[in-house]
Structures are given as C-alpha cells and as structure tokens.
Amino acid sequence: MTRVLVVEDDPQLVRALVINLQARHYGVDAAPDGAAALRLAATRQPDVVLLDLGLPDMDGVDVIKALRGWTRVPVLVLSARQASDEKVAALDAGADDYITKPFSIDDLLARLRAAVRRTDDTPHAPGTVLVETADFTIDLIAKKVVRDGQDVRLTPTEWHLLEILVTSPGRLITQKHLLQEVWGVPQRSKTNYLRVYMAQLRRKLETDPSHPRYLITEPGMGYRFEG
C-alpha cells in the first residue's frame, strides 16, 4: 500500500483528501503543522508527501529543506501562493511538483500517481547510460543523440541543458538551477538564454516544436523532460 503524508492545517481540506485517498486504497497520515510532519515522515516513512506551505509553526519551504536533509521522498506542494517566486523557492528547496489551490482531486491524484511512478520506476536514475523515447535516443556516455537513424548535432551548451533535464525525468527543473548549472548565472534576467536554447533543442528533437511532447515548459518556473 502506498502511504501518503498530508501536511495541512485546514481540517476540511484534510478530511476531503483523506476520504479521497483512502477510497483509492492509499494509506494516509495527516499532520497539522511542520513539526508533526517531520516526526511522522521519520516514523511512518511515507511514499509521497502532500505539503501546504502556510503552516502555523513554520514555513513549508523549511519543511522541504528539512526533509531533503535525509530523504528523497516525493514532495507535492499544495498552496494558495501563486507568485512565481514562491513556486520557484519551493522547487529550489527540493519540491517535486507545485499544485495551486484550488485544485481538482483528479488533477492531484494524477500528479500523485506520476510522482510515485517515477520513484518506483526510476527510468533514468543516476548511472543510466541510455535514454530512449519514441522519437530519439540519447547516449549519456557517448554524448550522442540519434533521431530517425541520424546523429543529431548538439552544441556543448545544448547538450549540457538536455543532460540535466533527461537525468531527472518528470521533475520540474527551475530556471534558476538551469542558469546556474549551464551558464553560472542564476539571475532571472538571463532567462532569454533558456528560451533560445530550449527552442533550438525542440527544433532538433521534437516532431512538432510548437507543441512539444518531451521538453515541457512550466511558465514562470522552469522546464521538465517527459520521456
């Protein structure tokens, strides 16, 4: 049974989440604040955490940082905070996804299943040498991309950007992280770098670059690779 830890101080929302999760055969624990969440995470070892940022005793971002000190359990943020800098802060701290309130239960459950599936399958975990999609293959050791039987020429910058994304499949990688890793500049004023290079990668890899299947943009936050 997949265990879910719900960290939320709104009793009505907690009740709705518990009912819906248990109806789908998830095991559920609930914590009303950050301190209780960290205790339950240590003792119950959940498979995924649903975390509100506005907790009564500490900010949810601090809970994420504390969890990331010892566990890679998927953390899905559920928050009414809609500002992009709030989202980026949570993702940079180590959250795996960010769902803005109000949300539909179906959307939440789909993202929860995806987070658990990524953990279970780890299709491109560290050490993976070959990433295969329906349209192209990436050899991480040879630093080579093949599409339709032909080598795809990538610049060193394009390769570095692609490598970061494909080695964390399904995970939203923030603009700040990509700018720091690829160019050594975390300033958001440089996001035009990302737009240019992502457009180039899509032209080289996507069947329909204007409607990408693999290299996905999360507006105002970052990018993710869906294999």
Side-chain angles (χ1 to χ4, degrees):
M1 178 184 289
T2 300
R3 295 211 64 82
V4 180
L5 173 58
V6 175
V7 187
E8 170 63 62
D9 63 339
D10 180 343
Q12 288 186 315
L13 180 53
V14 171
R15 184 171 182 272
L17 289 171
V18 169
I19 289 171
N20 278 279
L21 290 167
Q22 289 181 340
R24 291 161 176 84
H25 309 293
Y26 289 97
V28 187
D29 295 300
D33 55 46
L38 294 173
R39 286 196 301 272
L40 282 170
T43 57
R44 301 290 284 174
Q45 298 288 309
D47 298 293
V48 63
V49 176
L50 303 181
L51 173 68
D52 180 30
L53 294 182
L55 300 172
D57 61 338
M58 60 196 298
D59 193 274
V61 171
D62 294 323
V63 175
I64 298 169
K65 291 176 180 177
L67 288 171
R68 287 293 171 255
W70 61 275
T71 178
R72 297 307 306 167
V73 63
V75 177
L76 278 63
V77 170
L78 311 178
S79 179
R81 300 177 187 176
Q82 299 189 26
S84 61
D85 58 343
E86 299 269 15
K87 297 176 181 179
V88 168
L91 294 164
D92 279 341
D96 294 85
D97 206 343
Y98 195 107
I99 303 167
T100 303
K101 297 177 180 175
F103 52 83
S104 75
I105 287 294
D106 287 343
D107 181 43
L108 171 63
L109 291 170
R111 297 204 199 190
L112 187 153
R113 288 192 298 271
V116 173
R117 188 166 59 247
R118 288 196 297 271
T119 303
D120 290 342
D121 295 346
T122 55
H124 315 312
T128 295
V129 298
L130 201 64
V131 177
E132 296 181 281
T133 75
D135 296 302
F136 54 85
T137 301
I138 304 168
D139 187 327
L140 293 169
I141 299 298
K143 296 186 181 296
K144 179 178 175 182
V145 181
V146 176
R147 180 183 178 192
D148 298 328
Q150 301 291 320
D151 287 354
V152 178
R153 288 181 173 272
L154 297 182
T155 67
T157 298
E158 289 168 351
W159 172 262
H160 194 179
L161 184 58
L162 181 64
E163 185 179 38
I164 293 170
L165 291 168
V166 302
T167 51
S168 297
R171 185 183 175 99
L172 198 161
I173 309 297
T174 63
Q175 295 174 346
K176 178 182 175 183
H177 180 79
L178 290 168
L179 287 167
Q180 183 66 61
E181 289 295 312
V182 179
W183 288 278
V185 287
Q187 301 99 323
R188 283 194 213 159
S189 61
K190 305 294 186 182
T191 54
N192 60 305
Y193 291 2
L194 284 173
R195 287 194 294 272
V196 169
Y197 278 91
M198 288 300 294
Q200 291 174 189
L201 281 172
R202 286 175 177 141
R203 281 196 295 270
K204 293 179 179 184
L205 300 179
E206 298 276 4
T207 301
D208 182 356
S210 61
H211 297 90
R213 173 180 174 185
Y214 303 104
L215 301 170
I216 310 300
T217 300
E218 292 286 352
M221 294 187 284
Y223 301 88
R224 74 170 87 228
F225 173 75
E226 295 290 354

